[in-house]
Amino acid sequence: MRWRLPEERPAEPPTGFKIAHPMLSQDGSRAGFTGVSLGGALPYGVLDEAHCVYGLRHRAPHRRCDCGFHCVHDRTAAEAMLCTAEHRTAVLLEVSVLGAYLRFELGFRYARQRVRTATVGPCSCGSVAVALADAGWGRPGWRALAASCAGCVRGRPSVSLATFARLGGEGLRVRAGAAASGGDLPEGLGVSELVAEAALLQARLDWFQTQLARLEPGERGSGQG
């Protein structure tokens, strides 16, 4: 006797969250994404259908395979994956789960998806991103991109966030996340305080240079053996 899993027929497609690396086709005409785990070798479009990564002919998601798109229910859980070193340049995606899907405790494995929103993190320097620039790696026919501010693009191949959304199509929205927090600065230290500290340090440096200039040439070298 075979037990059938309960079937869901939601009125609206479920929403999920995941992380992925933004990708740009070699000719610059298409934008897409690639996963960070099992399906990382197969870039996909904003609206796309999953295929078995093992080359098997069954339709994804198959219950006896781990193929298909993957996402989690909770946005915070997806954001937590961006903390790992290998995922720092990935972006956060909000997706619509389409077609057949399998529900798990933490998320879905499913057949089709539409990427609705991509949130780009800060540039590696901590500034708010204004573009997606060549990340220095890719897949055959695809160039991986990473968040970049205007000052760090430095002539690398890049596209603006708006251009990436246009190339992705299907109503994709791309937005920049917040800048990295300046945790190294003392609490409450603003621009005026920093200017005052810099002026004080400069005054001290000027004083030491004046004292050094008053020393006789012989005194400067008296410590040499």
Side-chain angles (χ1 to χ4, degrees):
M1 182 176 179
R2 296 181 60 185
W3 293 92
R4 295 178 62 87
L5 295 175
E7 294 186 2
E8 299 182 27
R9 298 185 181 277
E12 296 291 337
T15 295
F17 301 91
K18 62 194 299 181
I19 64 173
H21 295 289
M23 308 289 286
L24 184 68
S25 64
Q26 183 178 1
D27 61 3
S29 64
R30 293 176 295 158
F33 303 92
T34 192
V36 298
S37 57
L38 181 64
L42 301 174
Y44 55 85
V46 173
L47 177 63
D48 214 333
E49 182 174 351
H51 302 280
C52 181
V53 295
Y54 303 110
L56 302 178
R57 295 183 179 180
H58 57 240
R59 297 179 63 182
H62 196 277
R63 290 174 181 167
R64 296 184 179 181
C65 186
D66 52 7
C67 59
F69 290 121
H70 295 72
C71 71
V72 295
H73 300 304
D74 185 46
R75 181 187 184 97
T76 303
E79 290 176 331
M81 292 186 283
L82 295 171
C83 294
T84 61
E86 62 270 27
H87 299 156
R88 290 290 178 91
T89 59
V91 299
L92 177 69
L93 304 183
E94 179 182 334
V95 302
S96 291
V97 175
L98 306 175
Y101 62 82
L102 300 175
R103 179 188 290 272
F104 296 93
E105 180 180 2
L106 298 179
F108 298 98
R109 183 160 62 90
Y110 50 102
R112 299 177 67 239
Q113 78 174 4
R114 181 192 300 273
V115 181
R116 300 203 305 249
T117 303
T119 302
V120 180
C123 176
S124 58
C125 72
S127 301
V128 174
V130 299
L132 290 166
D134 188 355
W137 62 277
R139 298 286 184 260
W142 292 86
R143 178 182 291 114
L145 305 176
S148 178
C149 68
C152 292
V153 170
R154 297 177 182 175
R156 290 181 295 165
S158 63
V159 293
S160 68
L161 304 188
T163 298
F164 186 88
R166 178 178 58 80
L167 294 176
E170 301 294 342
L172 174 66
R173 294 177 296 172
V174 181
R175 60 189 183 191
S181 59
D184 294 333
L185 294 178
E187 185 176 357
L189 193 61
V191 175
S192 59
E193 289 85 358
L194 289 174
V195 172
E197 289 288 341
L200 179 59
L201 290 174
Q202 185 62 51
R204 289 175 177 173
L205 179 60
D206 292 341
W207 182 84
F208 280 113
Q209 289 177 333
T210 301
Q211 298 302 313
L212 184 61
R214 292 177 179 177
L215 294 176
E216 295 294 333
E219 293 178 345
R220 295 185 186 181
S222 59
Q224 298 179 357

